[in-house]
Amino acid sequence: MPDTLTGQVRRVVFRREETGYLVASLDPAGGRAPVTIVGKMPGIAPGETLVCTGRWENDPRHGRQFYVETFRQTKPAGVETIRRYLGSGLIKGIGKVTADALVKAFGEKTLDVIEHQPQRLREAPGIGRVKSAMIIEAWRAGRDQRELALLLEQAGAPLSLAPRIQKVFGDRAAEQVRADPYRLVAEVRGVGFLTADRLARAFGFAADDPSRLRAGLLHVLEEAIADGHTAALVTELVARAAALLEAPTELLDAQVEQLVRGGHVRRDELDGAEVVSPTGLWLCEAKLAASILATRQAPSRFRAINGDKALVWVQDRLKLRLTERQGEAVLATVREPVVVITGGPGTGKTTIVRAVCEIGEAMKRRVLLCAPTGRAAKRLAEVSGREAKTVHRLLEVNPARGFDRTAENPLEGDLVLCDEASMLDAPLAMHLAEAVPPGGHLVLVGDVDQLPSVGPGNVLGDLIASGRAHTVRLDKIFRQAGSSRIVPNAHRIREGQLPEISATKDSDFFFLPEEDPVKLRELVVDLVARRLPQAYGLDPREDIMVLAPMHKGESGVARLNEALRDKLNPTGRTLRIGEREYREGDRVMQTANDYDRDIYNGDLGRVQRVSGDGKGIIVDFDGRLVEARGAELDDLVMAYAVSIHKSQGSEYPCVVVPLHSQHYILLARNLLYTAVTRGKRLVVLCGSPRALRRAVTHNPAQTRRTLLGKRLREEKPGRLI
């Protein structure tokens, strides 16, 4: 039988907010000497009275302690206990002086007055209208915060979710969660179906509760969206949800209809099959198509020019020679309202961008340059010699309203050129297309053979396939300095051929075999920390990026990051949050867009220092210092190694790419092609020769189920959507 201990919390010795772990000193009932209690007790503060069950143990370092297994809070009893409770600082606006005044006025009924008759608080001396309102608000907020923390703890959900939930639901968060925990899936970022389901089952929700069935369907649909689709086949959706929920398909069919009627999803048809899309994404692709088609039909701001003379002029000005295909691309941008220029590395896309800027400016037209990521925009500015912004900054992102540049307030330019356009997902592309001014031109430059965008959609591919954009494919390779093998090997991989490997030290493309996954990880660490810096003068912390196909496994992103940090940054002040650690000097990556702090998915930074209070970190993002604390830390991950998907739009002096059969399920041609094209000076592949062959020869259909192509072929500009 477990022991029981009742008493009042005297002080908190140690607390870990994200897990609820607490070490506290407790005054037991009956006037006994204080004891130490240890365990998960979320939301507990000094002054609270607890009834705990657990066990007594003798800790070698700290002596006799009570390990709490379960606990419940009770109202403090007795005037002096209530006085200590209120004077502990637990409730904002109540200190020792106010606590004395309240207890003097209401005695043992003080807590009942605050809870049930708060209008009487002003009867106490020194408590006016403002002070009374502050006490009432703090009492209610604190009560809800503690109850929410307990609900999450009881369901085994991470307590780090509590701030996000309260931000959405306010002071009645616990009540809302208890009433319908499945709302969390749709309304709180970071809360998945499994977490909500644990809460619901703990609250007694039935397995066939309609809200559970709808949440399961939405969960499966969100999984499809996470894989890049914007729509899901209804038959597949129902089948997968039935397996997840262990529910009959006929019950789920009815709930699909309820989701449609409730406006959560839109029903559509694609290639003769019924599909559904989240309403926001359905509207997004419809608006994107309508904007592109409207841009195609609007009278152009560009006058007709003599193409031959323009090309001669720009070639003389830039002191270069354009191929026929490059010349076609340059002229298309000022003759056609929507243009796609696609090609692999070294095929002259940068040259075309420079020529487009020169001709556009010579025609007295303003050219706006942008790219999806900060690094890609910085590189675009360097090669063009002109200002380039991220798409978010170009559209003047506003945390409160989204984007300030819209169809109603379009961009002040005549030609909008977006580089690395393969990274554009459907929502971002929609906002960009809507902001193109009437008569303006939209030019998308990118490599359609790379991995598609991390977010949902297949914008570049769908636009090319639809025939609604003038498309120029570049296939002649120019960038091939001396004996460089990076660009030629990238094209060999794209064509399904193994790369040509040279063993000479003056090569810039290597493959080092290693079959054992643990030894492969050790090889990567040795390459980054010792061999490559010694041989090529590279800075291991700045110049080298490790790109892995997947997160799991001995040579996956997670284990590589641990090993690389231990080697490259073994010491320094560290902030620990649950299982995660942030150490001063760590390279980190932002994994979600944060408009308030102006940092975006894929941005790389360096942890400059742990915050003074030890609860956050200061990160240097390209010279701009940004603080991260609380839930914001969930969006920062170590980035000594990153997934190949996360490397899109970036280039590094050197990339090291481990390939192993543990990555087998993800090994594919466009994955390896994307990794290789990230390297500027040096590419080192290492691992299993079999894994390398698999990556080169495996070219699965990368078809994403999207509705943009259909919209582009069928919709008409101005149609109500």
Side-chain angles (χ1 to χ4, degrees):
M1 290 288 292
D3 294 314
T4 300
L5 177 65
T6 301
Q8 186 178 36
V9 179
R10 168 183 283 196
R11 66 186 180 93
V12 173
V13 179
F14 174 81
R15 182 198 305 277
R16 181 162 285 170
E17 295 286 358
E18 63 275 5
T19 63
Y21 182 78
L22 189 80
V23 179
S25 176
L26 185 87
D27 287 330
R32 289 178 289 161
V35 299
T36 299
I37 59 173
V38 178
K40 282 191 173 184
M41 292 170 276
I44 296 304
E48 297 201 74
T49 300
L50 306 179
V51 178
C52 307
T53 59
R55 65 189 188 280
W56 290 98
E57 290 190 7
N58 285 309
D59 185 272
R61 293 179 58 192
H62 304 293
R64 193 166 186 251
Q65 299 181 146
F66 190 84
Y67 283 80
V68 178
E69 295 173 355
T70 65
F71 73 95
R72 60 183 175 87
Q73 297 156 286
T74 64
K75 288 184 179 180
V79 170
E80 191 54 38
T81 302
I82 293 172
R83 189 194 313 275
R84 288 202 309 271
Y85 171 62
L86 292 177
S88 67
L90 174 68
I91 303 167
K92 183 179 178 181
I94 302 182
K96 291 184 178 180
V97 174
T98 304
D100 287 341
L102 289 169
V103 171
K104 185 176 181 179
F106 305 114
E108 292 188 355
K109 296 182 179 180
T110 301
L111 298 182
D112 286 329
V113 169
I114 298 174
E115 177 74 33
H116 302 295
Q117 298 176 296
Q119 69 277 4
R120 292 188 58 197
L121 290 177
R122 295 173 65 180
E123 296 176 16
I127 298 181
R129 180 176 57 82
V130 175
K131 186 80 168 178
S132 173
M134 182 187 300
I135 293 171
I136 294 168
E137 181 180 355
W139 175 269
R140 290 174 178 170
R143 178 184 59 199
D144 189 76
Q145 184 178 12
R146 292 192 296 277
E147 184 180 357
L148 177 60
L150 282 170
L151 292 178
L152 294 174
E153 169 62 24
Q154 291 165 4
L159 297 182
S160 58
L161 294 174
R164 292 183 183 177
I165 295 172
Q166 285 188 303
K167 186 175 181 180
V168 173
F169 294 119
D171 291 343
R172 299 177 60 197
E175 179 184 336
Q176 299 281 355
V177 169
R178 190 182 291 278
D180 185 1
Y182 295 109
R183 287 183 59 190
L184 298 173
V185 180
E187 299 182 43
V188 180
R189 184 174 62 86
V191 180
F193 170 77
L194 297 180
T195 297
D197 201 39
R198 283 199 302 270
L199 284 166
R201 301 313 290 270
F203 301 158
F205 278 67
D208 61 352
D209 188 287
S211 61
R212 179 174 187 263
L213 301 182
R214 289 193 294 273
L217 286 163
L218 289 175
H219 170 69
V220 173
L221 181 57
E222 285 301 319
E223 286 185 326
I225 304 308
D227 288 337
H229 303 287
T230 62
L233 289 172
V234 172
T235 53
E236 290 184 6
L237 179 68
V238 168
R240 290 180 59 193
L244 171 71
L245 301 168
E246 298 180 348
T249 56
E250 56 269 21
L251 290 180
L252 291 164
D253 285 330
Q255 294 309 317
V256 170
E257 184 61 34
Q258 289 301 314
L259 288 173
V260 173
R261 290 181 179 178
H264 299 286
V265 302
R266 291 287 185 99
R267 196 194 308 272
D268 213 310
E269 180 270 332
L270 186 64
D271 298 328
E274 185 182 39
V275 298
V276 290
S277 296
T279 297
L281 268 181
W282 188 93
L283 290 170
C284 169
E285 288 192 297
K287 291 178 180 179
L288 173 56
S291 295
I292 289 172
L293 295 174
T295 298
R296 278 171 48 90
Q297 290 192 357
S300 175
R301 297 184 175 200
F302 287 80
R303 68 180 187 276
I305 62 171
N306 185 310
D308 292 337
K309 288 184 178 181
L311 292 178
V312 170
W313 175 84
V314 78
Q315 290 177 97
D316 289 343
R317 184 170 179 82
L318 296 176
K319 295 180 175 55
L320 52 78
R321 287 293 171 261
L322 300 172
T323 66
E324 182 179 350
R325 190 68 58 84
Q326 287 179 310
E328 176 196 345
V330 171
L331 293 178
T333 64
V334 296
R335 289 174 171 173
E336 300 288 340
V338 182
V339 177
V340 171
I341 301 170
T342 184
T347 55
K349 296 191 295 295
T350 296
T351 299
I352 291 170
V353 170
R354 292 171 58 202
V356 169
C357 291
E358 291 288 349
I359 289 180
E361 291 163 2
M363 298 176 70
K364 308 297 184 185
R365 292 293 178 262
R366 187 179 180 192
V367 178
L368 304 177
L369 302 180
C370 64
T373 68
R375 284 179 168 254
K378 184 178 180 181
R379 192 172 70 252
L380 179 60
E382 290 170 352
V383 300
S384 68
R386 293 163 174 82
E387 182 184 32
K389 300 179 180 180
T390 63
V391 177
H392 290 88
R393 290 195 176 99
L394 181 69
L395 298 178
E396 299 175 18
V397 63
N398 184 308
R401 299 187 297 272
F403 294 103
D404 284 341
R405 293 295 179 176
T406 62
E408 291 73 31
N409 182 34
L411 292 164
E412 295 176 4
D414 304 294
L415 187 149
V416 179
L417 187 149
C418 180
D419 196 17
E420 294 289 355
S422 63
M423 299 180 65
L424 286 174
D425 59 21
L428 190 57
M430 181 269 291
H431 288 296
L432 181 63
E434 281 197 321
V436 174
H441 288 197
L442 175 63
V443 179
L444 302 180
V445 181
D447 187 349
V448 75
D449 293 312
Q450 284 188 25
L451 290 169
S453 59
V454 174
N458 185 32
V459 175
L460 202 61
D462 286 345
L463 190 53
I464 292 171
S466 73
R468 297 293 196 175
H470 184 101
T471 300
V472 181
R473 293 179 179 269
L474 306 172
D475 50 20
K476 183 176 179 179
I477 302 174
F478 295 93
R479 194 175 72 204
Q480 191 172 340
S483 59
S484 174
R485 301 304 307 159
I486 296 177
V487 171
N489 276 336
H491 287 271
R492 286 181 64 84
I493 291 168
R494 188 188 65 181
E495 294 163 5
Q497 302 175 42
L498 286 169
E500 293 180 346
I501 307 297
S502 172
T504 61
K505 184 179 177 181
D506 60 355
S507 177
D508 60 1
F509 197 105
F510 296 93
F511 177 75
L512 304 179
E514 178 53 69
E515 294 285 355
D516 183 272
V518 176
K519 291 181 178 179
L520 175 57
R521 184 176 70 243
E522 294 170 351
L523 171 61
V524 170
V525 173
D526 192 41
L527 283 167
V528 173
R530 183 182 66 86
R531 292 169 61 173
L532 295 177
Q534 287 180 1
Y536 296 94
L538 297 166
D539 183 339
R541 289 158 56 93
E542 298 293 339
D543 298 335
I544 305 173
M545 178 59 84
V546 177
L547 305 178
M550 65 189 298
H551 284 272
K552 297 180 180 179
E554 292 293 342
S555 55
V557 170
R559 297 299 298 274
L560 283 166
N561 266 315
E562 293 173 1
L564 286 164
R565 178 168 63 178
D566 288 345
K567 190 70 174 179
L568 298 175
N569 190 31
T571 60
R573 190 180 178 197
T574 300
L575 173 66
R576 290 178 175 84
I577 302 293
E579 299 298 319
R580 290 174 289 127
E581 293 184 0
Y582 301 93
R583 185 175 298 161
E584 292 179 350
D586 275 347
R587 183 163 66 186
V588 293
M589 176 180 281
Q590 176 74 10
T591 61
N593 291 333
D594 189 325
Y595 302 134
D596 290 316
R597 296 183 299 149
D598 196 26
I599 51 177
Y600 304 98
N601 190 359
D603 284 355
L604 285 175
R606 182 81 61 183
V607 178
Q608 187 184 75
R609 65 181 184 273
V610 175
S611 302
D613 62 2
K615 295 184 178 181
I617 55 176
I618 309 298
V619 183
D620 184 341
F621 286 100
D622 288 329
R624 196 167 61 87
L625 299 183
V626 178
E627 185 174 22
R629 56 175 56 236
E632 295 165 347
L633 291 165
D634 295 343
D635 299 328
L636 281 174
V637 297
M638 274 196 296
Y640 297 97
V642 301
S643 69
I644 296 172
H645 281 85
K646 284 291 186 183
S647 72
Q648 289 174 265
S650 298
E651 283 187 347
Y652 311 96
C654 172
V655 296
V656 177
V657 186
L659 302 168
H660 196 270
S661 56
Q662 287 186 340
H663 310 148
Y664 200 80
I665 191 171
L666 288 180
L667 294 175
R669 185 180 302 167
N670 63 350
L671 189 82
L672 181 59
Y673 173 75
T674 299
V676 167
T677 55
R678 302 306 93 201
K680 294 166 62 178
R681 290 168 46 194
L682 185 64
V683 173
V684 181
L685 309 181
C686 49
S688 163
R690 179 170 173 262
L692 174 60
R693 286 194 298 272
R694 161 76 175 184
V696 171
T697 59
H698 184 53
N699 191 31
Q702 296 294 324
T703 303
R704 289 184 168 187
R705 189 169 289 111
T706 67
L707 294 169
L708 178 59
K710 173 186 174 181
R711 292 278 176 268
L712 287 168
R713 291 188 293 269
E714 297 177 357
E715 292 285 1
K716 296 179 180 180
R719 177 175 174 178
L720 182 63
I721 54 175

